[in-house]
Structures are given as structure tokens and as C-alpha cells.
Amino acid sequence: MNAGIIGIGRYLPEKILTNHDLEKMMDTSDEWIRTRTGIEERRIADEKINTSDMAYEAAVKALEDANITAEDLDLILVATVTPDRPFPSVACIIQERLGARKAAAMDISAACSGFMYGIITAGQFVQSGSYKNVLVVGAEKLSKIMDWKDRNTAVLFGDGAGAVVIGPVSEGKGIISFELGADGSGGKYLYQDEYISMNGREVFKFAVRQMGESCINVLEKAGLSKSDVDFLIPHQANVRIMEAARERLELPIEKMSKTIHKYGNTSAASIPISIVEELKAGKIKDGDLIVMVGFGGGLTWGAIALRWGR
Ligand code: ACO
């Protein structure tokens, strides 16, 4: 059985926080943030909106797009490092709200790589024939774990959610190859106690190396070459990291998704949020070879080569 993305949706909070707004809150500048990260603005969820609310909204759209109901779901996986509370999981909260009575539910903790961990796990259940429809959501309210006095991290992140339904697709479509990895020895470079704490330079070095390598590895596993890639969807953490992956694949600029200027780093939500953006812009077409690649705290990483379409 081939497993692919059969439906997709996203939720973005309405409130926009620009770099100029941040200039009034801390010692930073629009120029510094834009040139170092590529970020111009990000969305911040209201006090009243929690991660599960955003996950729910994105999930409803993904189910509609897949043309299935919540009762058709066998499993719900929510990738998040900002659950409403340690338990019950966000997955269980939205299972109830959606009315997905048949579905098992759990959260995945792999920071910004969480969405890659989620869709690869979902793909295994579908490929084996154990499950038919698996909802995978990446949802984050990072604003609640950001230290608004720390300019090193507060300028980087945003809130949002993206969801996909992973289900059976026709021959030749869907997930072709994947890679997942972790290196716990790098946990000290990016973690949360009360707030996010980061050694930006170490994370940057790791990310540049890992993003490029993972892209090459999934292509090799799939028996494909760089020139076969139609579109690259990198985790949106820093435009310079994304550019390094694009250059490694020798792709022209128009073949890489860039949404970081509008949404900042939304962690596990950044890849599905970006896919929706590119679909709306008509940049992803049926039959395209898509490479998705992410990295994050843990340290963790993941990549997929996927043929778009049902
Ligand atoms: N505004 C102005 N100045 C700042 C700001 C800011 N917001 N933040 C830091 N600076 C200063 C620093 O204090 C430093 O000053 P100093 O030299 O006087 O000490 C100076 O800018 C330069 O700092 P660098 O660390 O050299 O800047 P760099 O070019 O490395 O960029 C950045 C920093 C953007 C954080 C980069 O290292 C990066 O993107 N790293 C990866 C981060 C990342 O991807 N994190 C997400 C991981 S995903 C997850 O799982 C959550």
C-alpha cells in the first residue's frame, strides 16, 4: 500500500507581530532580524487560544480537504512541544472535539522535526495496511514559552498549526523514502526549562549540515537525483539555513518554499503551513517530486521524498 497526503489544512492566528513592533519591546532592529533570519513578521495567538484550538481548526480543514469525516480516522498524532498541559495530550483533546471515536490518539515530542516524525510514523501504519486514515497535526503556541526579554530567541518564533491526513494513494504517488534521526548529545543546545533556551550558533551549524545531508540521503534511498526534485519544503527556521539546503540540492530559488518572512519559525507547524501556502500559489502540482526536510531540538531531524497527489 502506498501512503500519501490525501488532505491538508492550516490555522494561523490573526494577530500579526512585526519586527517594528518588536523594536518597541526589546533592544533589536528590523534590519538585524531580516538580515540574520529572513523573518519580517509572525502570528501570535490570543491569550484565549490554546494549541489544541489551533490544532482543531487545522484538522477540520484537512478532513474536509480529504473528503472524509472524523469517524473515518484510525489514529491522531499531534506533534507539539507546547501542549495545552502535560496530559491529556492535544491529540486526545481534539479527538473528542472532532468526534473521532474510532481513533487512537497521542502526541509526539520531537520539537521542530515533530511533523516529519508524525507523517513518517503515520505512513508506516498506512503502508502496512493496519490503518487507513491517520491525522497528523503540527501545532505550536510558542509565544507561551518565549522569554519576551531575551532578544536571542523572542524574535524567531511564531504560533500556528498545520494538519494532513495520511492515507492510501495510487501506485507511484505518496511517500517514496524517508530518513529520521536524533542526537541527544546536542540536547544542551536547544531546550526548554521555563522558556526556550538556545545556543544559536551551534544549532545553526548542525542545521546547515543536517538539512543538506538528509535531502541527499532521501534522494539516494529513492534512487532519484537532485534534478528530479520539483519542490523543496524546508523547515522554516532561518532563511540562511534553508538556502544552504537549496544550494546543496542545486535548486533554483523558485523551487524552494519560503514562508518564514510572514510566519517566523512555527516549529512542528512550519512544513504543513508552507505546503498550504504553495498549493494556494499553484506551485505544487499533481505528480511533483517534493522533498520535505526538518530539524529541531533533541536534536532531531527528518526528511521525506514524496510524489504529490492521490
Ligand atoms: N537583535 C539584535 N541583536 C541580536 C539579536 C536581536 N534579536 N539577537 C542576538 N543579537 C546579537 C547577539 O547578542 C550578538 O551580539 P554580540 O556579538 O555583541 O554578542 C550578535 O547579535 C550576533 O550574534 P550571532 O549569534 O553571531 O548571530 P548569528 O548570525 O549566528 O544569528 C541566529 C543568530 C539567528 C539565532 C542564528 O544563529 C540561528 O538562526 N541559529 C539557528 C536557530 C534555530 O534554527 N533555532 C530553531 C531550532 S528549531 C526548534 O526545535 C525550536
Side-chain angles (χ1 to χ4, degrees), residues 26-29 32-33 36-37 110-113 142 151-153 155-157 190 196 198-204 207 235 237-238 240-241 265 267 295-298:
M26 62 191 75
D27 180 18
T28 190
S29 67
W32 191 96
I33 303 170
R36 295 296 175 114
T37 72
C112 301
S113 315
L142 293 163
R151 68 177 184 174
N152 289 298
T153 53
V155 303
L156 302 177
F157 300 100
L190 183 55
I196 297 175
M198 183 178 74
N199 180 332
R201 234 170 259 183
E202 286 300 330
V203 176
F204 191 93
H235 169 48
N238 182 316
R240 293 182 291 149
I241 298 172
N265 178 353
S267 185
F295 71 93

